């Protein structure tokens, strides 16, 4: 966002404000009629060597030279969202982690090392919720070694965009050459409106376990081994939804037209693996799957919904917008270079 100079500017920031949410204005040039300025809002993640580093909600890092800084102040945390349930980052991060459990897990202080033979980054990355109990460089050395021993690339999953997220860790990872490969949004919504949707759920069948038929539609599984089944079946209360497709030539069940997965955990219901046959899209099948799963979660006492969607998946994001899911925070998978 650009501004033309006007009024009196004041810098009310010091290095002691590192880690706080700030708003700064920097001089970026001049043009006819006045100077040109740019505003940046985010977490002040470092102030070294005459440069302020600010991490925005999106995870983008912005460098602001001291010499260009003309105004700055600490600002309150982003206001609570009015749409959907309230939730802290810590609560939601724990719920998300319990719904997608790795085959192997080991603590590193308050961090959690996770591995599942490479099946999804979520199950094969560090979850850094707290203090690793040692200096960051030593912790990252141990992370690299742990994943190398398992033949896996080292990933750290770190979040931005909500109170209590990990902007400073993201900045420190980038400083050390770790680069974000994938960014995803964690979205939340009230559960009851999902269950109340006027969707035809008559073809949706629900089951407790994943089977071979369901896996034929699931694009991420590859060759399904025990590690895939372990991750998919993990969670406090897991449900799988299937909409049958055309039967095979031998009359056996064919590839499903649509599938979905839901994990109920206290007041939360998490929705994952919602996939529809490309030939069957725009027929309301994704909505039907989520509606059927939502109704079952409501029966188990859940009241709030969450899901994760990659930031570049425009089709899915549009669907979830229409269903009332609001952005809570983003997370990024950083890979060691």
């Amino acid at each position: 966002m650009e501004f033309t100079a006007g009024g009196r500017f004041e810098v009310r920031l010091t290095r002691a404000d590192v880690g706080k949410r700030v708003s700064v204005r920097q001089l970026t040039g001049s043009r006819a009629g006045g100077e040109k300025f740019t505003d940046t809002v985010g977490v002040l993640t470092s102030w070294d060597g005459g440069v302020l580093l600010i991490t925005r909600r999106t995870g983008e890092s912005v460098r602001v030279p001291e010499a260009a800084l003309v105004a700055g102040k600490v600002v309150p945390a982003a206001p609570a969202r009015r749409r959907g349930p309230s939730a802290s980052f810590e609560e939601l991060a724990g719920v998300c982690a319990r719904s997608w459990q790795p085959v192997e897990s080991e603590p590193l202080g308050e961090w959690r090392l996770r591995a599942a033979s490479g099946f999804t980054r979520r199950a094969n990355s560090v979850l850094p919720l707290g203090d690793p109990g040692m200096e960051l460089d030593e912790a990252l050395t141990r992370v690299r070694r742990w994943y190398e021993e398992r033949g896996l690339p080292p990933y750290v999953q770190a979040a931005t965009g909500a109170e209590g997220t990990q902007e400073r860790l993201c900045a420190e990872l980038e400083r050390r050459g770790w680069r974000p490969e994938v960014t995803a949004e964690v979205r939340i919504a009230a559960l009851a409106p999902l269950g109340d949707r006027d969707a035809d759920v008559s073809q949706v069948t629900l089951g407790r376990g994943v089977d071979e038929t369901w896996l034929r539609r699931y694009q991420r599984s590859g060759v399904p081994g025990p590690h895939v089944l372990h991750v998919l079946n993990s969670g406090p209360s897991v449900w799988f939804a299937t909409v049958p497709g055309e039967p095979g030539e031998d009359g056996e069940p064919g590839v499903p037209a649509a599938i979905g997965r839901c994990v109920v955990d206290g007041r939360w219901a998490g929705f994952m693996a919602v996939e529809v046959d490309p030939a069957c899209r725009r027929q309301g099948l994704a909505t039907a799957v989520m509606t059927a799963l939502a109704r079952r979660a409501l029966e188990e006492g859940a009241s709030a919904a969450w899901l994760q969607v990659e930031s570049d998946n425009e089709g899915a994001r549009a669907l979830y917008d229409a269903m009332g899911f609001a952005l809570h925070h983003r997370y990024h998978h950083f890979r060691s270079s």
Side-chain angles (χ1 to χ4, degrees):
M1 189 178 298
E2 296 179 352
F3 296 86
T4 302
R8 183 177 178 180
F9 297 150
E10 183 178 1
V11 177
R12 290 181 286 170
L13 294 174
T14 70
R15 287 176 175 79
D17 294 317
V18 170
K20 298 178 182 178
R21 189 168 183 263
V22 302
S23 174
V24 302
R25 177 170 293 182
Q26 64 174 312
L27 179 66
T28 55
S30 60
R31 59 188 175 190
E35 297 171 313
K36 187 168 65 174
F37 299 88
T38 299
D39 273 14
T40 301
V41 176
V43 174
L44 178 60
T45 44
S46 69
W47 190 338
D48 298 312
V51 176
L52 290 74
L53 186 67
I54 298 172
T55 303
R56 290 176 164 160
R57 287 181 59 88
T58 59
E60 175 192 5
S61 295
V62 179
R63 297 170 62 86
V64 180
E66 277 185 34
L69 185 64
V70 295
K73 62 181 179 179
V74 175
V75 295
R81 300 187 180 280
R82 296 181 180 178
R83 194 165 45 139
S86 63
S88 68
F89 165 69
E90 183 177 6
E91 176 191 7
L92 202 50
V95 169
C96 293
R98 287 192 295 273
S99 73
W100 203 261
Q101 297 176 21
V103 174
E104 185 180 2
S105 180
E106 183 177 313
L108 181 63
E110 295 177 309
W111 289 15
R112 176 64 57 176
L113 310 179
R114 305 175 293 179
S117 300
F119 172 57
T120 77
R121 289 180 181 86
R122 283 175 289 178
N124 293 272
S125 58
V126 180
L127 187 64
L129 299 180
D131 188 340
M134 60 194 71
E135 295 296 325
L136 181 59
D137 287 328
E138 181 183 354
L140 294 177
T141 296
R142 293 200 184 188
V143 166
R144 291 188 185 94
R145 184 184 308 129
W146 195 84
Y147 284 98
E148 287 170 0
E149 289 172 353
R150 289 153 180 80
L152 297 170
Y155 284 102
V156 175
Q157 179 181 311
T160 59
E163 186 174 358
T165 47
Q166 302 151 317
E167 282 81 359
R168 292 186 71 177
L169 176 59
C170 292
E172 293 297 335
L173 289 170
E174 288 201 58
R175 191 197 304 270
R176 289 161 172 79
W178 293 63
R179 295 290 177 260
E181 283 193 350
V182 174
T183 292
E185 300 174 356
V186 178
R187 295 186 172 210
I188 59 177
L191 185 61
L194 295 177
D196 289 341
R197 295 183 73 88
D198 184 17
D200 180 7
V201 299
S202 60
Q203 297 185 68
V204 182
T205 60
L206 301 181
R208 278 297 198 179
V210 63
D211 58 23
E212 182 181 348
T213 300
W214 192 95
L215 288 169
R216 289 177 187 171
R217 172 55 55 201
Y218 187 52
Q219 296 180 4
R220 293 182 182 269
S221 65
V223 179
H227 60 291
V228 174
L229 299 178
H230 172 92
V231 175
L232 290 173
N233 284 305
S234 65
S237 178
V238 186
W239 290 95
F240 296 91
T242 304
V243 176
E246 294 295 326
E249 294 181 359
D250 56 1
E252 294 295 318
V255 179
I259 59 170
R261 176 178 182 262
C262 178
V263 179
V264 183
D265 184 355
R267 72 181 180 119
W268 290 99
F271 295 84
M272 290 142 275
V274 178
E275 296 187 11
V276 177
D277 183 342
C280 300
R281 289 177 181 166
R282 301 187 183 279
Q283 297 179 20
L285 295 184
T287 300
V289 163
M290 292 188 66
T291 298
L293 290 169
R295 290 175 183 176
R296 182 56 55 90
L298 286 164
E299 291 175 1
E300 293 194 11
S303 60
W306 66 270
L307 54 79
Q308 298 164 321
V309 57
E310 292 186 4
S311 296
D312 60 358
N313 190 341
E314 295 183 2
R317 290 171 61 213
L319 172 66
Y320 300 141
D321 280 341
M323 289 184 171
F325 281 90
L327 176 66
H328 185 275
H329 66 271
R330 294 178 175 87
Y331 67 84
H332 320 271
H333 281 117
F334 286 84
R335 181 171 178 171
S336 176
S337 57

